[in-house]
Amino acid sequence: MKVTVSRKAHFNAAHRLYRPDWSFEKNDAVFGKCNNPNFHGHNYDLTVSVTGEIDPETGYVVDVKILKDFIKSEIEDAFDHKNLNVDVPEFKNLNPTAENIVVVIYDKLKAVLDSNLKLEVTLYETPRNFVTYSGL
Ligand code: NI
């Protein structure tokens, strides 16, 4: 019997979508307003879902306080009020699209969670645009 436990989180961050090996014109054609050289911000919302067996002793799949603390230390402290391109080492050479951000978030949380737990992360860049990664 497996149960999924989810926790929502939030961070604000700036980014710019571009490839330094492309001309400004090509970046503009592909990334549009997101290629603004002066960066722009998003209010990112996050849902972290953890699936596993219920521990018969505690009745928990995962202690939500521990999950909350991991999200804070690994994601919020690293990304909140940061410029993703400039301040976050994972994006030094990786375009900070929602797709790439959700994979980085997944990898950071996967590294600290119990390996028996299945992880899925959904990242909302806007209320209508969101991406999901579960390690596939
Ligand atoms: Ni953007």
Side-chain angles (χ1 to χ4, degrees):
M1 183 172 56
K2 297 204 171 184
V3 174
T4 300
V5 176
S6 297
R7 166 100 190 156
K8 290 185 176 179
H10 177 80
F11 62 90
N12 301 312
H15 72 169
R16 176 191 178 189
L17 302 184
Y18 75 110
R19 291 192 60 97
D21 56 330
W22 287 359
S23 68
F24 187 86
E25 289 70 26
K26 183 166 182 183
N27 275 298
D28 203 45
V30 173
F31 297 117
K33 285 194 297 184
C34 290
N35 176 42
N36 175 2
N38 294 326
F39 306 95
H40 64 277
H42 290 281
N43 295 312
Y44 289 97
D45 280 309
L46 193 64
T47 302
V48 176
S49 295
V50 170
T51 302
E53 300 283 345
I54 299 175
D55 181 325
E57 221 169 15
T58 60
Y60 288 164
V61 169
V62 62
D63 184 333
V64 173
K65 177 168 189 319
I66 292 173
L67 183 61
K68 175 188 163 191
D69 290 347
F70 281 152
I71 294 169
K72 181 176 187 320
S73 63
E74 299 301 313
I75 310 305
E76 291 171 348
D77 289 352
F79 294 177
D80 192 36
H81 287 75
K82 298 288 170 68
N83 179 323
L84 297 177
N85 302 74
V86 174
D87 299 325
V88 179
E90 284 85 352
F91 300 110
K92 277 278 184 279
N93 298 303
L94 182 66
N95 209 10
T97 59
E99 291 90 330
N100 282 329
I101 298 169
V102 79
V103 171
V104 167
I105 290 171
Y106 175 96
D107 287 344
K108 285 168 75 81
L109 291 174
K110 189 72 183 161
V112 293
L113 282 168
D114 185 325
S115 58
N116 294 322
L117 297 169
K118 182 184 174 297
L119 176 64
E120 181 175 279
V121 179
T122 298
L123 178 72
Y124 288 78
E125 194 167 72
T126 73
R128 292 184 184 187
N129 296 345
F130 55 97
V131 295
T132 299
Y133 183 56
S134 56
L136 297 176

